[in-house]
Structures are given as C-alpha cells and as structure tokens.
Amino acid sequence: MSPIELNKRQEEILQIVKGNGPITGEQIAERLHLTRATLRPDLAILTMAGFLDARPRVGYFYSGKKPGQDITDTMNNMKVKDFQSIPVVVREDVSVYDAISQMFLDDVGTLFVVDKNSFLTGVLSRKDLLRTSLGSQNLTAIPVHIIMTRMPNITYCVKNESLIQAAHRLINQQIDALPVVEEQPEGFKVIGRLTKTNITRAFLSLSENHEL
Ligand code: ADP
C-alpha cells in the first residue's frame, strides 16, 4: 500500500479516533459538526489506506499501523542470499586477454580475482580491462593482478546481510558489484556476486508482490 497524503478533515478524523476510539461515524460527525454522509468518503479512504479499522456495531478505531509499513518491512527483510548471482572468478596470474574472454563467455561485468587457495585478492571491472586495452601492450603478457583493484580495498557483503545495506555500499562506492564472501581466518572465500541487476530485480519483485 503506498502512503497517501491526508487532507485537513481526514487528519481531524484521525485525531478524534485516536483519542476516542472505538467511535461511531455518527459520533465523529457530531464532533465535527458535519453530517455522517459528508464524512463517508473520508472515512472510506482512511479505512482503505489502513489508518483506521472499522467494526460493525462497534465503530472506528485507530489501527496503529502506518500505511506503507508493509513494504518497508518487506524491504528490510530482503537478504543478499535471496538475490545474489553466481560469482565468476579468475586466478591472479591469468592474462588480461583471458580475463576479457572470460567476461564475454560468462556474460558478466565484474570478475573476482582469487589466489591459488581460492581466497579473494582483487576485483576487475570492465573499465579496468578497457583501460589496459587502450595501451598498445600485449594483453596476453599482462597478468590481471597488476591491474586489478586489490585487497584490502575491496568492498564486499555477506549472505545474511540485508539487501538495503548492500545497495547502500554499491551507491556510496560507485561500483557495479560486490563479492558475497564467507569470512575465514585466512581470508575471504567468494560465494556469490551481488550486482545492480540483482538490486533491480529485487525492486521489481516488490511491485509483483504488492499490487500498486
Ligand atoms: P566500471 O569500471 O566498468 O564502470 P565499476 O564501477 O564496478 O565498473 O568499477 C569502478 C572501479 O572500482 C574499478 O577500478 C573496479 O576495479 C573497482 N571496483 C569494482 N567493484 C569493486 C568492489 N566491490 N570493491 C572495490 N573496488 C571495486
């Protein structure tokens, strides 16, 4: 349910019900020096929007819910693990040429770089690879560890974190993807990939779950 703007009369009704509920439509009308019929549309809107509950023969009472709360709760409960993708990783010693091929083969925009023990050491973005390609160097001779963004400067997330927190990190750092990692004493194992596409998909799932 999307939040709605209340008009002055609706605000007044809300205050009356908050202070005096349960209260009948007649009684609310009396207090406002209006007829029950005049109030009907306002009461209907307040009830539909979830501000008020109505019980037959009892009257109106304040629901205690803030409209729009449902969608906020849903968003806060969305976890990284529910929306993450499979990570694509390359070893530190592969060439820039092979990393570019890998990016095309797996159709991803970000590669994660790992050492021989599969611990995260770096990140490669499209522009990292493009920048290197602009130089007239031999791309098969340059290992990716020379050009990657490396630990400890990697921004990451963990699977049980909220999607909102991860989305903040993507925006604040101005990056396209976060590795989803499992923290181990010797380093980080890469278990997933969280991208702006995943966040967009999550955003869409809200509109599918909640009729607009
Ligand atoms: P692009 O460079 O293709 O626009 P990004 O915006 O994701 O893609 O990357 C911008 C820079 O940030 C690149 O140099 C990349 O290596 C680095 N980067 C990308 N993702 C991360 C991350 N999760 N942590 C740290 N640095 C990152």
Side-chain angles (χ1 to χ4, degrees):
M1 213 178 295
S2 54
I4 62 162
E5 296 257 336
L6 298 185
N7 65 31
K8 189 162 166 288
R9 188 188 288 159
Q10 290 161 353
E11 289 286 2
E12 283 175 339
I13 295 171
L14 204 54
Q15 291 316 314
I16 292 172
V17 179
K18 259 191 201 173
N20 305 279
I23 181 169
T24 65
E26 292 294 345
Q27 291 166 327
I28 299 170
E30 254 174 47
R31 282 173 180 259
L32 290 171
H33 310 292
L34 296 166
T35 65
R36 173 75 180 83
T38 316
L39 281 192
R40 191 161 289 127
D42 292 319
L43 285 168
I45 285 168
L46 288 169
T47 312
M48 278 191 306
F51 287 94
L52 299 182
D53 280 336
R55 277 204 208 123
R57 285 178 300 278
V58 180
Y60 293 93
F61 55 93
Y62 183 59
S63 72
K65 281 188 298 203
K66 274 208 216 100
Q69 188 172 294
D70 293 358
I71 203 159
T72 311
D73 281 351
T74 309
M75 283 175 73
N76 287 330
N77 288 330
M78 288 172 142
K79 297 273 189 266
V80 166
K81 65 180 172 201
D82 301 325
F83 293 92
Q84 71 188 43
S85 298
I86 293 165
V88 179
V89 299
V90 295
R91 287 276 297 274
E92 302 179 298
D93 46 8
V94 305
S95 69
V96 170
Y97 184 94
D98 285 344
I100 294 172
S101 306
Q102 196 72 46
M103 214 174 237
F104 278 103
L105 274 176
D106 287 299
D107 195 17
V108 291
T110 308
L111 297 173
F112 302 126
V113 185
V114 295
D115 64 15
K116 61 181 190 314
N117 297 316
S118 300
F119 288 118
L120 177 68
T121 58
V123 172
L124 288 166
S125 76
R126 281 177 278 223
K127 275 188 224 127
D128 291 334
L129 297 170
L130 271 177
R131 193 182 303 113
T132 312
S133 310
L134 280 179
S136 54
Q137 311 168 67
N138 178 5
L139 299 182
T140 58
I142 309 168
V144 292
H145 68 80
I146 294 183
I147 66 154
M148 69 189 188
T149 300
R150 57 180 55 253
M151 287 291 274
N153 300 322
I154 306 296
T155 307
Y156 59 90
C157 62
V158 296
K159 67 177 184 187
N160 286 319
E161 247 178 310
S162 86
L163 204 60
I164 297 281
Q165 281 175 307
H168 270 295
R169 237 165 272 157
L170 285 170
I171 292 296
N172 291 342
Q173 304 295 321
Q174 302 186 334
I175 50 181
D176 292 346
L178 302 174
V180 185
V181 304
E182 205 170 83
E183 296 168 278
Q184 296 189 357
E186 312 92 317
F188 292 154
K189 286 276 174 199
V190 183
I191 58 167
R193 175 170 60 96
L194 191 81
T195 69
K196 289 179 173 174
T197 304
N198 298 133
I199 305 291
T200 308
R201 197 168 288 132
F203 176 70
L204 277 183
S205 79
L206 288 174
S207 80
E208 283 155 15
N209 292 342
H210 299 260
E211 56 285 291
L212 292 173

